[in-house]
Amino acid sequence: MAMVGLFWIAEGDVYVGAKPSGLAPGVRLAPEGVVTLGDGQSGLHLWEDVNALTVADVPVKSLMRQVGVVKDVALGTVREMTLPLGHGLMGKAPAMMAVRVESSDGDHEMAAYVAAAAGYSRTEVDLSHALLARLTEGAATMATTLAAMSQWGRAWEGGSPRSAEREGLLREWVGQTLSGCPCP
């Protein structure tokens, strides 16, 4: 499993945001369409009906966000060490993003958990938005792009790649070369 931009790729499955478990909300990009998962938002939006696919409320990495994450981890560690057994911590849920599908039958908004605790880099956000737009360009483009992402996920071993490699993968999947990308 690995995070690349706004995507979580687990073996051959591609998710927007974190891969959901149980009844948690999530969005999977499947060959047949955009699959919404979780309690209260299960469904399928066929690619042939999808006109646009966007993500809003994406946390962008900043120094303040990183400091906040470090502070939360430190406070959580201190609490776990000092509270008597049985009290445990009240877990803080990860942030949510809104995945929006514009289709022939209207606009739909689904929720997905953010996978990056400190937020995503601006470049990865921009490249991810470009990739989402590319998925709606037509069946051949969508199938080729999703197949490349899935193939990479099946072949990849280990955690998430480093930032430069993630950006390179996103550029490749968008269909731009590293040297020719006008992206930031």
Side-chain angles (χ1 to χ4, degrees), residues 98-168:
V99 181
R100 296 184 177 134
V101 173
E102 291 178 29
S103 67
S104 54
D105 67 342
D107 296 345
H108 309 274
E109 185 171 305
M110 293 79 65
Y113 283 116
V114 169
Y120 302 92
S121 76
R122 172 51 57 198
T123 300
E124 285 187 80
V125 171
D126 292 343
L127 288 167
S128 295
H129 283 137
L131 182 55
L132 289 167
R134 181 158 174 73
L135 290 172
T136 63
E137 290 177 357
T141 301
M142 179 279 304
T144 302
T145 304
L146 267 184
M149 295 172 80
S150 295
Q151 180 180 7
W152 178 86
R154 284 189 294 276
W156 179 255
E157 294 180 13
S160 297
R162 298 183 75 67
S163 179
E165 187 176 354
R166 292 192 310 263
E167 291 175 14

Side-chain angles (χ1 to χ4, degrees), residues 2-157:
M3 182 184 68
V4 179
L6 300 181
F7 308 98
W8 190 263
I9 304 171
E11 291 137 11
D13 293 330
V14 178
Y15 298 88
V16 178
K19 177 183 177 182
S21 66
L23 297 176
V27 176
R28 184 169 65 92
L29 304 178
E32 61 274 6
V34 179
V35 181
T36 55
L37 306 164
D39 192 28
Q41 68 172 26
S42 298
L44 170 66
H45 301 280
L46 299 174
W47 285 115
E48 60 209 34
D49 298 329
V50 175
N51 302 321
L53 181 60
T54 58
V55 181
D57 305 324
V58 177
V60 176
K61 191 180 292 186
S62 68
L63 179 58
M64 290 305 293
R65 183 176 295 282
Q66 289 174 316
V67 167
V69 168
V70 170
K71 178 194 73 143
D72 290 346
V73 168
L75 288 175
T77 302
V78 169
R79 270 188 246 142
E80 282 192 30
M81 293 172 57
T82 59
L83 287 176
L85 292 176
H87 284 93
L89 287 177
M90 299 288 289
K92 184 177 175 184
M96 301 286 276
M97 298 184 295
V99 181
R100 296 184 177 134
V101 173
E102 291 178 29
S103 67
S104 54
D105 67 342
D107 296 345
H108 309 274
E109 185 171 305
M110 293 79 65
Y113 283 116
V114 169
Y120 302 92
S121 76
R122 172 51 57 198
T123 300
E124 285 187 80
V125 171
D126 292 343
L127 288 167
S128 295
H129 283 137
L131 182 55
L132 289 167
R134 181 158 174 73
L135 290 172
T136 63
E137 290 177 357
T141 301
M142 179 279 304
T144 302
T145 304
L146 267 184
M149 295 172 80
S150 295
Q151 180 180 7
W152 178 86
R154 284 189 294 276
W156 179 255
E157 294 180 13

